[in-house]
Amino acid sequence: MNPFAAALLAWFDRHGRHDLPWQRAQDHGQRDAYRVWLSEIMLQQTQVVTVVGYFERFVAALPSLPALADASEDQVLALWSGLGYYRRARFLQRAARLCVERHDGELPRDFDALAALPGIGRSTAGAILAQAHGLRFPILDGNVKRVLARYHGIHGYPGESAVEKQLWRHAEAHTPTTRTADYTQAIMDLGATVCTRARPRCDACPLAPGCTARRDDLTAVLPSPRPAKALPERETVMLVLRDARGRVLLERRGPQGVWSGLWSLPEAADHDAAWRSARRHADIDDARSLAPFTHVFSHYRLRIAPLLFEGATARRGIADNPGLRWCVAGELARLGLPAPVRKLLQQLEEPTA
């Protein structure tokens, strides 16, 4: 075993995470590929401490790949609601359905077939095969990129093709032929808990003696950050139409753009347009502006101005439109809602709202 992997595994045996819910062996004595896959998708852009609760609720409701394939999109998005990047959830279900159609309801053990599924790239496929089956495949998620960039002193933004190719070469070279599952978890754990983006704990790192960034005092600059780019800002008015029974009007978003396919509040470009839209959906008397807030996406900032129409009376025709529905508070938990919309509606239900 190479010295890099040996040092990392020795550290992992003492300090690594060994009882995460997706690590637990199932009836056949191995980790379940479905659970490993689900955790890998959830952990993209999301920390372990956040994912654990979502993961346990998800597998309680959809305990197997066929169950995920058979579920409604609303159920999947409701279970995912709050994790963000909803395309991940759609790809997850799309891949599950392809596995039912083509792979007997299981994730394929062939790397190329696995990596060809929606939402599963080279690193995710390697992580699934390494952790579920002990096969020797390297990974290169954000934590691993940071560890390798610092250890080898690699400059340049890791998202650039030339830099990523260097990192893949090192990832391949360091991955051992034995204890591959433990090594895969170990290098992710090291990046998440020791070799962190800010204030890395170099004194606790098993790789510190050979780390270029530590030797050359470069931990604050490696890996190189993404080139700065100012986020554009957009504005929208969200209509909160609530009737005498406490029901709120929701609208399913289209297949394109952010929050695609989720249930959300109707939107308008400004207050005048919001009033016109509200009158198309309900009889209304008055409106109250709620505190505006900003939601930040990866590529722009959205300034949201909620406009509350209390005592609205639904117009006829809503029942004939599958993209609109009046919902009581108890129904919201079963629907996929954008996190800021769910939070806004929950605040309206609070006694002090």
Side-chain angles (χ1 to χ4, degrees), residues 202-245:
C202 296
D203 56 332
C205 181
L207 306 177
C211 180
T212 301
R214 182 174 184 269
R215 182 195 67 201
D216 297 342
D217 195 25
L218 294 173
T219 55
V221 298
L222 293 179
S224 302
R226 180 195 297 267
K229 182 179 178 181
L231 289 179
E233 294 193 359
R234 303 178 187 176
E235 296 183 351
T236 189
V237 178
M238 284 191 172
L239 287 65
V240 187
L241 288 156
R242 189 158 63 171
D243 69 9
R245 295 161 54 187

Side-chain angles (χ1 to χ4, degrees), residues 27-98:
D27 293 339
H28 44 65
Q30 294 179 319
R31 296 179 187 176
D32 179 49
Y34 169 69
R35 296 164 70 93
V36 172
W37 169 45
L38 176 59
S39 72
E40 287 297 317
I41 302 301
M42 284 186 168
L43 286 166
Q44 294 170 1
Q45 292 105 10
T46 313
Q47 296 182 344
V48 168
V49 66
T50 301
V51 163
V52 169
Y54 280 93
F55 176 88
E56 292 180 331
R57 287 190 292 273
F58 200 101
V59 295
L62 304 173
S64 66
L65 188 150
L68 170 59
D70 288 341
S72 69
E73 183 178 276
D74 277 337
Q75 182 182 14
V76 174
L77 293 177
L79 291 167
W80 199 271
S81 183
L83 278 173
Y85 300 94
Y86 292 92
R87 180 178 294 183
R88 295 181 294 169
R90 289 194 183 83
F91 282 166
L92 195 76
Q93 187 172 47
R94 194 180 305 169
R97 289 173 174 170
L98 286 173

Side-chain angles (χ1 to χ4, degrees), residues 75-207:
Q75 182 182 14
V76 174
L77 293 177
L79 291 167
W80 199 271
S81 183
L83 278 173
Y85 300 94
Y86 292 92
R87 180 178 294 183
R88 295 181 294 169
R90 289 194 183 83
F91 282 166
L92 195 76
Q93 187 172 47
R94 194 180 305 169
R97 289 173 174 170
L98 286 173
C99 286
V100 169
E101 292 174 12
R102 304 175 183 176
H103 304 293
D104 297 323
E106 296 183 355
L107 287 166
R109 290 183 60 162
D110 175 76
F111 178 87
D112 291 336
L114 185 58
L117 292 171
I120 300 182
R122 179 179 177 182
S123 183
T124 301
I128 294 168
L129 294 174
Q131 294 187 84
H133 305 297
L135 301 178
R136 185 186 180 275
F137 286 99
I139 68 164
L140 196 64
D141 71 356
N143 285 319
V144 178
K145 288 178 179 179
R146 185 165 57 254
V147 171
L148 295 179
R150 284 175 173 165
Y151 186 83
H152 291 285
I154 298 174
H155 291 260
Y157 173 55
E160 296 174 357
S161 177
V163 177
E164 192 171 53
K165 286 180 180 178
Q166 291 185 65
L167 295 171
W168 271 117
R169 285 197 294 269
H170 290 301
E172 173 70 34
H174 291 310
T175 302
T177 56
T178 59
R179 295 192 65 189
T180 312
D182 286 344
Y183 171 83
T184 300
Q185 185 65 53
I187 196 167
M188 291 191 293
D189 281 1
L190 189 76
T193 64
V194 175
C195 192
T196 51
R197 181 178 291 107
R199 296 186 295 276
R201 297 188 297 118
C202 296
D203 56 332
C205 181
L207 306 177

